């Protein structure tokens, strides 16, 4: 069972973070998270995930779970029905379905990697079985790999036969869905939003929460781009974080130029995104040249040469953005207005470069601080995910956490400052969520190259937003990810597993009370998990066995 609301009295570890409830004064400690060591990568060895002793977890879905309503080529939570390296044709799918243990000479099924989780409490939801009561607690995911892309719903109140529903594999035009990365719920339009991070074909799709789901492509409204993080604010605006890798330098051969942007979409009608609106890009003013923006130094709409990339990788502006204590002015610049520019699909990345948007080092996700009135927005930068990067920490090579402050969510201007500068031991920051009012969680997607370089797998960290990390303090590692048996096999490589990633990744870290109304937008209310209330915490161990877990308070 979950913890009661009474305070847990525990001795503090040397490295620990205290999490305060919404109603508690600053410094209150209803639960304390102790730090755990990272799990060490060793060839051929699988290891479990390790949580702080104040926490525990349970599995809510795993990749081999069959869908209650499979399609010809999509039959499982984390697997396509075809083998790796084969096209999703009916013949290939039939040969691999139903899912059975794979013989030594048979290629492994292609893993689809369920990604960002979105939790909702919804009444009167139906499924493939009209006679079954699916309950009211649901967890939605898009899938990052496989063909076609698809959307699933984990029915948290259901039995095994009805546990996971397939919502869609095609849009309203009959086109296959892309691979999805981010997701959120738009309470104004009452639609799920899914993002695809392929720079040339990505964008935003909206979907009903029904089975089957009605899915609409919004590339003509929100643009084509490497979109990943997506959030609503209280005004109905959408905030989108792009993850598009840049060009490597000619000299700085292990670093990449900043090439991704932060967007805000102001809809004409927040209840109907298809009505259009304005897409804006964040512009940061240079400290070295006041009045001028920090801009991309390549072609107006394309990729730079390696020599041009070198200029941005170690530029004074790039360093200023990644230096503690700097406060930099920001403003929003419109890059596309459907009332003027129409609704044909367009490249958001190219339009942002042409408009003088400020590029970042692979920002991936963002979230609003609870209690800020949607005036404080934190977002991650993943960095170069290679400890050989010449950009290192001072130029964003290891990434970090940025904080954007405005007078209101729709304000045209604001300020940007670095909240946390990553180092080799804490890098590749990706998903980001608030666990409580003052505790910010960010998880790593360091990549297998960096796993090997530092002999350590990914971790999830808790940051106190009142702390000054410029002094050298470290966040608390409360989740040390291991590597499950399937990912361990994939890591060995070979033709039978080609195409499946060899290490797990923490993704879909999600904290929500499931409220589908405007009051349930992430950031509207301070989370209070582990107290027996409505707040729930989920994450997925992507790749490998593709296991989605719920984090609970420890027993006792």
């Amino acid at each position: 069972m979950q913890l009661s609301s009474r305070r847990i009295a525990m001795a503090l570890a040397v490295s620990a973070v205290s999490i305060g409830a919404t109603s508690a004064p600053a410094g209150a400690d209803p639960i304390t998270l102790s730090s755990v060591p990272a799990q060490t990568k060793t060839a051929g060895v699988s290891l479990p995930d390790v949580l702080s002793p104040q926490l525990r977890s349970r599995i809510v879905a795993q990749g081999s779970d069959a869908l209650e309503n499979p399609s010809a080529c999509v039959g499982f939570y984390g697997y396509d029905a075809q083998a790796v390296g084969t096209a999703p044709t009916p013949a290939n799918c039939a040969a691999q379905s139903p899912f059975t243990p794979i013989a030594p000479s048979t290629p492994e099924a292609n893993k689809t990697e369920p990604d960002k989780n979105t939790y909702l409490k919804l009444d009167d939801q139906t499924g493939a079985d009209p006679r079954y009561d699916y309950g009211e607690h649901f967890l939605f995911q898009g899938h990052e790999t496989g063909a076609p892309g698809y959307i699933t719903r984990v029915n948290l109140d259901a039995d095994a036969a009805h546990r996971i529903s397939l919502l869609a594999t095609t849009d309203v035009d009959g086109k296959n869905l892309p691979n999805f990365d981010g997701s959120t719920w738009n309470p104004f339009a009452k639609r799920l939003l899914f993002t695809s991070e392929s720079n040339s074909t990505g964008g935003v799709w909206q979907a009903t929460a029904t089975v089957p789901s009605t899915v609409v492509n919004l590339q003509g409204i929100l643009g084509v781009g490497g979109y990943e993080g997506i959030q609503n604010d209280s005004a109905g605006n959408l905030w989108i974080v792009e993850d598009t890798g840049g060009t490597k330098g000619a000299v700085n051969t292990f670093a990449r130029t900043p090439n991704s942007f932060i967007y805000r979409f102001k809809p004409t009608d927040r209840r109907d995104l298809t009505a259009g609106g304005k897409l804006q890009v964040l512009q940061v003013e240079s400290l070295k040249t006041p009045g001028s923006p920090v801009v991309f130094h390549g072609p107006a709409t394309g990729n730079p040469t390696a020599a041009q990339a070198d200029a941005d990788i170690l530029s004074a502006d790039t360093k200023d953005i990644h230096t503690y204590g700097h406060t930099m002015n920001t403003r929003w610049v419109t890059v596309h207005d459907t009332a003027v520019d129409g609704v044909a699909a367009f490249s958001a990345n190219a339009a942002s470069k042409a408009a003088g948007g400020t590029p970042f080092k692979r920002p991936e996700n963002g979230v609003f601080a609870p209690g800020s009135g949607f005036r404080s927005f934190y977002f991650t930068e993943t960095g170069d995910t290679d400890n050989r990067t010449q950009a290192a920490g001072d130029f964003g090579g290891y990434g970090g956490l940025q904080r954007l402050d405005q007078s209101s969510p729709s304000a045209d201007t604001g300020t940007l400052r670095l909240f946390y500068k990553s180092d080799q031991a804490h890098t590749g920051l990706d998903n980001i969520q608030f666990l409580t009012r003052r505790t910010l969680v960010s998880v790593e997607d360091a990549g297998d190259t960096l796993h090997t370089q530092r002999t350590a797998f990914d971790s999830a960290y808790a940051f106190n937003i009142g702390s000054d990390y410029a002094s050298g303090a470290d966040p608390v590692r409360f989740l040390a990810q291991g590597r499950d048996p399937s990912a361990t096999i994939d890591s060995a490589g070979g033709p039978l597993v080609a195409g499946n990633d060899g290490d797990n990744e923490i993704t879909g870290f999600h904290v929500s009370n499931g409220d589908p109304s405007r009051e349930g937008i992430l950031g509207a209310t301070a989370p209070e998990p582990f107290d027996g209330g409505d707040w729930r915490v989920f994450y997925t161990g992507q790749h490998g066995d593709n296991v989605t877990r719920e984090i609970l308070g420890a027993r006792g």
Side-chain angles (χ1 to χ4, degrees):
M1 64 179 180
Q2 291 181 316
L3 292 174
S4 68
S5 59
R6 72 182 186 278
R7 183 172 301 175
I8 301 173
M10 300 193 74
L12 296 179
V14 173
S15 179
V17 62
S18 297
I19 299 176
T22 303
S23 58
D29 178 27
I31 185 169
T32 295
L33 298 181
S34 301
S35 192
V36 296
Q39 288 285 59
T40 301
K41 178 177 180 177
T42 304
V45 176
S46 62
L47 295 167
D49 292 0
V50 176
L51 286 162
S52 293
Q54 296 85 3
L55 303 173
R56 61 188 172 95
S57 69
R58 67 183 182 96
I59 294 174
V60 299
Q62 57 190 10
S64 57
D65 288 344
L67 304 179
E68 66 161 349
N69 55 334
S71 70
C73 283
V74 177
F76 306 93
Y77 180 63
Y79 291 87
D80 278 340
Q82 75 271 17
V84 294
T86 63
T89 65
N92 288 332
C93 293
Q96 201 69 16
S97 182
F99 186 88
T100 57
I102 298 171
S105 61
T106 304
E108 185 177 36
N110 185 69
K111 295 171 182 175
T112 65
E113 302 178 9
D115 206 318
K116 191 76 176 292
N117 294 299
T118 294
Y119 169 61
L120 292 171
K121 290 174 61 178
L122 299 170
D123 296 327
D124 303 320
Q125 288 296 103
T126 59
D129 186 346
R131 299 166 299 177
Y132 189 76
D133 180 0
Y134 286 84
E136 61 177 9
H137 302 93
F138 305 94
L139 197 63
F140 297 85
Q141 304 85 20
H143 292 247
E144 190 175 9
T145 64
Y150 61 104
I151 301 169
T152 49
R153 186 186 74 189
V154 178
N155 308 310
L156 295 168
D157 301 328
D159 60 20
H162 301 87
R163 186 67 170 177
I164 304 173
S165 301
L166 175 64
L167 271 66
T169 61
T170 60
D171 64 19
V172 293
D173 296 320
K175 296 180 179 179
N176 284 344
L177 296 180
N179 298 142
F180 289 127
D181 300 276
S183 68
T184 195
W185 171 253
N186 180 357
F188 302 98
K190 294 181 171 57
R191 295 290 189 274
L192 291 156
L193 297 174
F194 293 94
T195 58
S196 176
E197 67 173 335
S198 172
N199 186 45
S200 59
T201 60
V204 179
W205 279 251
Q206 69 173 11
T208 61
T210 56
V211 178
S213 176
T214 300
V215 185
V216 176
N217 183 338
L218 298 176
Q219 288 175 318
I221 307 296
L222 292 161
V224 177
Y227 295 159
E228 183 164 350
I230 185 167
Q231 295 290 331
N232 271 105
D233 64 29
S234 56
N237 305 314
L238 289 176
W239 294 56
I240 304 171
V241 180
E242 182 182 36
D243 175 15
T244 300
T247 301
K248 288 186 177 180
V251 176
N252 303 295
T253 54
F254 295 106
R256 294 181 182 272
T257 184
N259 192 48
S260 305
F261 298 92
I262 306 297
Y263 300 94
R264 182 178 67 181
F265 179 71
K266 302 182 78 171
T268 302
D269 180 354
R270 61 186 181 179
R271 298 168 299 179
D272 180 11
L273 297 181
T274 64
K278 296 180 180 180
L279 183 70
Q280 300 177 315
V281 68
L282 186 69
Q283 191 180 79
V284 181
E285 182 180 341
S286 172
L287 294 178
K288 297 293 187 293
T289 312
S292 298
V294 177
V295 295
F296 178 90
H297 288 103
T301 60
N303 294 321
T305 65
Q308 289 171 324
D310 280 322
D312 277 347
I313 289 169
L314 299 182
S315 74
D317 286 329
T318 299
K319 184 174 183 179
D320 283 342
I321 288 174
H322 299 98
T323 299
Y324 284 120
H326 286 175
T327 299
M328 306 178 75
N329 293 327
T330 64
R331 69 185 184 103
W332 292 100
V333 179
T334 298
V335 299
H336 189 273
D337 182 350
T338 56
V340 176
D341 303 313
V343 293
F346 64 97
S347 171
N349 188 276
S352 297
K353 291 172 181 175
T358 296
F360 292 89
K361 296 279 285 187
R362 288 188 59 206
E364 296 201 45
N365 284 276
V367 68
F368 289 98
S372 70
F374 295 91
R375 296 187 296 269
S376 293
F377 184 73
Y378 289 79
F379 63 91
T380 58
E381 285 187 283
T382 299
D384 293 318
T385 58
D386 190 320
N387 71 358
R388 296 166 294 181
T389 175
Q390 292 87 357
D394 287 346
F395 294 88
Y398 301 134
L401 300 175
Q402 300 281 355
R403 173 174 170 169
L404 174 63
D405 291 295
Q406 300 183 167
S407 60
S408 73
S410 296
D412 292 328
T413 60
T415 58
L416 180 79
R417 62 184 177 88
L418 180 69
F419 171 70
Y420 177 75
K421 180 163 63 177
S422 292
D423 53 30
Q424 292 186 52
H426 315 80
T427 187
L429 298 180
D430 188 332
N431 285 191
I432 184 172
Q433 287 274 278
F434 271 87
L435 188 62
T436 69
R437 180 184 294 275
R438 298 182 61 80
T439 301
L440 179 65
V441 167
S442 188
V443 308
E444 291 178 311
D445 176 15
D448 205 17
T449 295
L450 195 51
H451 294 160
T452 300
Q453 289 171 341
R454 67 183 188 184
T455 66
F457 293 123
D458 291 335
S459 297
Y461 301 103
F463 298 83
N464 186 324
I465 63 170
S467 295
D468 179 11
Y469 289 99
S471 64
D474 287 332
V476 171
R477 179 188 290 108
F478 69 92
L479 166 59
Q481 189 174 42
R483 182 169 61 183
D484 62 41
S486 183
T488 304
I489 293 171
D490 293 344
S491 184
L496 300 184
V497 299
N500 286 332
D501 285 328
D503 278 323
N504 297 123
E505 169 196 341
I506 304 170
T507 192
F509 193 92
H510 185 62
V511 184
S512 172
N513 63 1
D515 184 351
S517 74
R518 300 175 188 180
E519 286 70 32
I521 298 174
L522 298 181
T525 307
E528 296 182 354
F530 317 134
D531 69 350
D534 292 331
W535 290 90
R536 300 178 73 169
V537 182
F538 302 91
Y539 79 96
T540 297
Q542 201 181 40
H543 318 313
D545 292 330
N546 286 303
V547 178
T548 296
R549 291 179 168 87
E550 180 174 9
I551 298 178
L552 308 168
R555 298 180 186 275

